[in-house]
Amino acid sequence: MVNDRKVAVVGCGFVGSSSAFALMQSGLFSEMVLIDVDRNRAEGEALDIAHGVPFASPMKIYAGDYSDVSDAAIIVVTAGAAQKPGETRLDLVNKNVGIFKTIIPQIRESGFSGVLLIVSNPVDVLTYAAIRMSGLPEGKVIGSGTVLDTARLKYMLGEHVDVDPRDVHAYVMGEHGDSEFVAWSSAQVAGVPLSTFCELHGHLNHREAEARIAEDVKNSAYEIIEKKRATYYGIAMSVKRICTAIMRDEGCVLPVSSLMVGEYGLEDLCISLPTVVGRDGVVCRVPVSLDYDEMTQLKDSAEALKAIIDQVDFEA
Ligand code: NAD
């Protein structure tokens, strides 16, 4: 039986511990189990985060193992090797698929039936791997995908047009990585096309600004890793946002990564599209209209991912 107030986090490095810290403050859960191959790390993080509980809501936080996850409503997987300076996310693939072969079968054997949220990179390939290895219904396995990239885009666009980023609607789609793209043709502020809004406020040269912002979004992770070794606060807030959508059955639209079953002609790979997310994970994908260039970029991104998937041995 699923315990609606319980979450598990597998991998307690920069991303796992920051996500656990954000989840502790969210009030969504009353129990959180932290798992790491480095047991001391999990124990230390559990103690440290638990000491913040008196300033948030009552919650049991402890280091555990896979016998503790069977009744969790959500398992967040952040375990894996992190991206090194100069290394692309796709370079990480074989290393992290190997790590998943030690984790996902144990989750499967526990009898877990909640939503599996994959964060480790390359997230699209690992979400696909988790679907193959977990035996869960495909909609219950989602990747954080381009939720973080889209948050970066909204933040930068908010600065550009001087509007609250929550009122700027635009999506990064495709791979969470080098082949991602911005769906500019559907970007808008309160229903007004972004380009029209920009003109009204004296921002011209859209193409230049779009290209610069899209590059800045794509290169954010590289820049942060260069400067401070890892990115974790933005992704922690993304994890909290996705968990909120699931636990509150919000039906909100988030660009998570999920298994394609014919959308835009794509099949048998995980990639990010705006997706309605609710209690059981994926409710449906939103068929945002894409112009010719965007459609080409989506197909190219899917091909890049498929080329990797085809080379990986997913057998546990
Ligand atoms: P990190 O090295 O700080 O932490 C990784 C943790 O995983 C370590 O504590 C390690 O002990 C643990 N681990 C390794 N193998 C394990 C196993 N078999 N079982 C349990 N735990 C295991 O790395 P990080 O900075 O926290 O990044 C973690 C992952 O998140 C990386 O793959 C990184 O690229 C990814 N990431 C994804 C996004 C996103 O938007 N999806 C953003 C940032 C980072």
Side-chain angles (χ1 to χ4, degrees):
M1 235 228 349
V2 172
N3 175 352
D4 261 349
R5 307 289 294 170
K6 182 170 177 180
V7 64
V9 178
V10 179
C12 303
F14 288 117
V15 174
S17 58
S18 307
S19 299
F21 183 55
L23 291 174
M24 180 275 283
Q25 294 174 72
S26 71
L28 288 171
F29 303 103
S30 54
E31 187 174 345
M32 176 158 62
V33 55
L34 303 185
I35 299 174
D36 198 289
V37 74
D38 177 353
R39 176 76 186 200
N40 267 336
R41 179 78 197 241
E43 285 177 4
E45 295 295 356
L47 283 171
D48 197 5
I49 295 168
H51 295 164
V53 165
F55 304 107
S57 312
M59 194 172 177
K60 192 174 157 198
I61 303 174
Y62 56 97
D65 55 38
Y66 294 96
S67 63
D68 297 304
V69 303
S70 60
D71 60 345
I74 302 179
I75 301 179
V76 183
V77 183
T78 75
Q83 199 176 354
K84 302 247 160 48
E87 191 177 46
T88 70
R89 291 186 180 96
L90 295 179
D91 289 337
L92 282 174
V93 69
N94 282 320
K95 233 188 291 180
N96 284 346
V97 168
I99 289 176
F100 266 42
K101 287 180 182 176
T102 70
I103 294 173
I104 307 297
Q106 296 196 73
I107 291 176
R108 180 184 188 140
E109 278 154 29
S110 77
F112 171 73
S113 61
V115 175
L116 192 52
L117 172 57
I118 307 301
V119 179
S120 317
N121 275 321
V123 70
D124 303 291
V125 179
L126 293 178
T127 303
Y128 182 83
I131 291 170
R132 295 270 299 258
M133 296 175 194
S134 67
L136 286 165
E138 63 205 36
K140 284 193 157 194
V141 184
I142 56 182
S144 59
T146 52
V147 173
L148 172 58
D149 316 72
T150 296
R152 288 171 173 153
L153 174 68
K154 287 168 70 119
Y155 175 76
M156 290 181 204
L157 281 176
E159 296 266 288
H160 183 64
V161 298
D162 205 15
V163 166
D164 183 337
R166 294 172 300 179
D167 292 320
V168 178
H169 301 289
Y171 293 101
V172 177
M173 294 171 60
E175 174 205 359
H176 168 62
D178 295 339
S179 68
E180 69 186 32
F181 66 96
V182 178
W184 290 113
S185 65
S186 56
Q188 37 110 343
V189 177
V192 178
L194 185 66
S195 50
T196 310
F197 190 88
C198 283
E199 276 163 27
L200 291 172
H201 290 78
H203 291 287
L204 305 171
N205 303 326
H206 305 308
R207 289 282 166 203
E208 260 171 49
E210 285 176 1
R212 176 176 48 77
I213 291 171
E215 275 306 293
D216 287 351
V217 167
K218 195 186 296 183
N219 292 328
S220 287
Y222 294 119
E223 186 184 354
I224 297 168
I225 289 168
E226 194 72 47
K227 292 189 157 122
K228 55 169 263 188
R229 285 181 42 222
T231 74
Y232 34 95
Y233 297 126
I235 184 62
M237 292 299 285
S238 307
V239 166
K240 184 175 100 166
R241 182 69 195 90
I242 300 167
C243 287
T244 305
I246 296 165
M247 295 318 301
R248 293 169 50 85
D249 198 15
E250 287 184 344
C252 67
V253 178
L254 293 167
V256 292
S257 185
S258 65
L259 188 73
M260 294 298 102
V261 284
E263 293 81 359
Y264 300 96
L266 305 177
E267 256 171 305
D268 198 33
L269 80 154
C270 291
I271 200 164
S272 291
L273 304 180
T275 302
V276 178
V277 178
R279 186 66 187 83
D280 289 323
V282 173
V283 177
C284 63
R285 255 79 48 166
V286 183
V288 175
S289 65
L290 300 176
D291 66 19
Y292 181 80
D293 280 354
E294 292 160 359
M295 200 60 222
T296 306
Q297 291 179 85
L298 178 63
K299 295 250 147 104
D300 289 350
S301 191
E303 266 171 34
L305 282 168
K306 198 81 178 108
I308 302 280
I309 285 173
D310 288 346
Q311 289 171 45
V312 176
D313 173 15
F314 293 104
E315 294 312 312

